[in-house]
Amino acid sequence: MEENKKEGRYSRIYKQLSDLVLKSNNSTARMATIIAVLHHKLDYFFWTGFYLIEDGEMTVNMYQGPVACQILEKDKGVCWAAFNQKKTFVVEDVHSFPNHIACDSRSNSEIVVPFKNKSGEIIGVLDVDSSERASFSEVDAKWLEKILELVYV
Ligand code: SME
């Protein structure tokens, strides 16, 4: 998607989500709604979901898309890299990412954004896969980081 079209789309999504999250103070409700809206409004989102650390394991949480890996092998792949390095990863071609974990062979590019709790600790990640190469850019990174902040507004 063109960058200016993405900007417009994200800005409308952000407005819609800001209104929706205020209807409940429950973080699970907010996370689920964020995933649903993103997955259905952005057609290049092939898999959209959270992985959270549970008892030290990077464990799949709510998501939309094909069935995903339940637990990601420690310190392998993009989700662990984003979690360990505390920064967003935009991966144009997952096949060239060292130790990439392929839950679905149709995924070709990916973005992973660290997810913080109310106290600001990183407790997991938001992961989005696309079946096209190079689907994600700094525009996705900027907006997804901003959208995640809505969980604890
Ligand atoms: N590709 C991710 C694993 C999760 S799936 O894409 C849903 C990774 O390398 O961490």
Side-chain angles (χ1 to χ4, degrees):
M1 189 183 285
E2 288 163 28
E3 299 298 274
N4 58 347
K5 195 174 168 197
K6 258 189 198 180
E7 279 282 355
R9 191 73 66 91
Y10 270 115
S11 140
R12 287 190 293 279
I13 287 172
Y14 187 77
K15 170 80 181 66
Q16 182 187 7
L17 281 172
S18 306
D19 295 341
L20 279 168
V21 298
L22 293 178
K23 296 182 191 297
S24 156
N25 207 17
N26 178 286
S27 59
T28 304
R30 290 180 175 196
M31 289 161 75
T33 299
I34 287 171
I35 295 296
V37 170
L38 289 173
H39 192 77
H40 292 280
K41 295 259 159 143
L42 291 162
D43 56 8
Y44 55 105
F45 281 34
F46 171 71
W47 191 92
T48 313
F50 285 97
Y51 275 90
L52 302 182
I53 303 291
E54 306 282 354
D55 298 326
E57 295 192 307
M58 184 76 78
T59 309
V60 77
N61 204 273
M62 56 195 76
Y63 66 95
Q64 300 222 359
V67 173
C69 308
Q70 302 298 289
I71 292 175
L72 303 178
E73 192 181 339
K74 192 159 174 25
D75 297 336
K76 297 256 163 74
V78 191
C79 293
W80 271 107
F83 179 81
N84 288 334
Q85 294 180 43
K86 302 180 171 48
K87 61 172 197 180
T88 297
F89 272 68
V90 175
V91 182
E92 289 197 355
D93 177 5
V94 294
H95 307 289
S96 60
F97 191 91
N99 294 322
H100 169 254
I101 300 171
C103 297
D104 191 302
S105 58
R106 290 169 290 181
S107 291
N108 279 307
S109 60
E110 179 162 7
I111 184 168
V112 181
V113 184
F115 176 55
K116 295 180 187 146
N117 66 10
K118 205 186 279 188
S119 327
E121 290 166 275
I122 299 177
I123 55 166
V125 297
L126 170 72
D127 178 18
V128 186
D129 289 9
S130 165
S131 55
E132 306 289 320
R133 287 186 192 227
S135 286
F136 305 103
S137 67
E138 288 310 310
V139 172
D140 298 88
K142 175 186 81 177
W143 280 102
L144 293 176
E145 286 167 12
K146 193 168 150 78
I147 287 168
L148 285 186
E149 288 172 9
L150 290 172
V151 176
Y152 294 105
V153 150

